[in-house]
Amino acid sequence: MQESKFQLLELDPKTTVIDKLTVLSYEMNLYFVKLQIAQQHGMVFKGESPLRFHSSQHIRDVFDGFTVVLAEMRHDSPYDEMIGNPDSVQYLGTLPFSMQQPY
């Protein structure tokens, strides 16, 4: 698959089908979104920077009206890095993410 930058303002909820929406959770109130649309995948951008979301509801609100086939949340724990250990895959968690409104 080709790596892309999806500009939020260029995505049309009437014509865009999101095959997979992945919420990347890094801190308690910092989220990024990665999309897979057809054969392309990449981060959602606003201008030159990845778009930051500050709550799960913020993500649902922004993508309300889009057809989302699959949504998930991935949480990467920085614990090993904080104490000087190599990265560990045991703390990587992927969970279903509901796009239903109202939540």
Side-chain angles (χ1 to χ4, degrees):
M1 275 188 258
Q2 178 183 352
E3 187 70 27
S4 300
K5 289 183 179 179
F6 293 106
Q7 291 291 336
L8 181 62
L9 296 177
E10 295 174 4
L11 298 173
D12 181 1
K14 294 177 184 162
T15 60
T16 302
V17 174
I18 299 171
D19 297 308
K20 186 176 181 181
L21 182 148
T22 302
V23 178
L24 305 172
S25 171
Y26 290 102
E27 296 177 13
M28 292 298 287
N29 63 347
L30 178 60
Y31 304 94
F32 296 101
V33 171
K34 187 173 186 177
L35 302 179
Q36 179 182 333
I37 299 173
Q39 296 301 312
Q40 295 182 316
H41 66 96
M43 300 289 289
V44 175
F45 276 70
K46 184 175 182 183
E48 295 299 313
S49 300
L51 182 57
R52 292 176 177 220
F53 297 88
H54 298 287
S55 70
S56 58
Q57 188 59 46
H58 183 200
I59 296 165
R60 289 182 191 94
D61 292 342
V62 167
F63 290 97
D64 191 34
F66 283 89
T67 299
V68 178
V69 178
L70 175 69
E72 64 184 15
M73 177 180 278
R74 192 174 79 203
H75 177 73
D76 296 322
S77 173
Y79 176 74
D80 283 324
E81 180 184 340
M82 290 186 319
I83 62 170
N85 288 341
D87 290 340
S88 172
V89 294
Q90 68 184 355
Y91 296 108
L92 177 65
T94 302
L95 303 167
F97 184 79
S98 174
M99 294 298 292
Q100 296 296 316
Q101 293 277 29
Y103 182 72

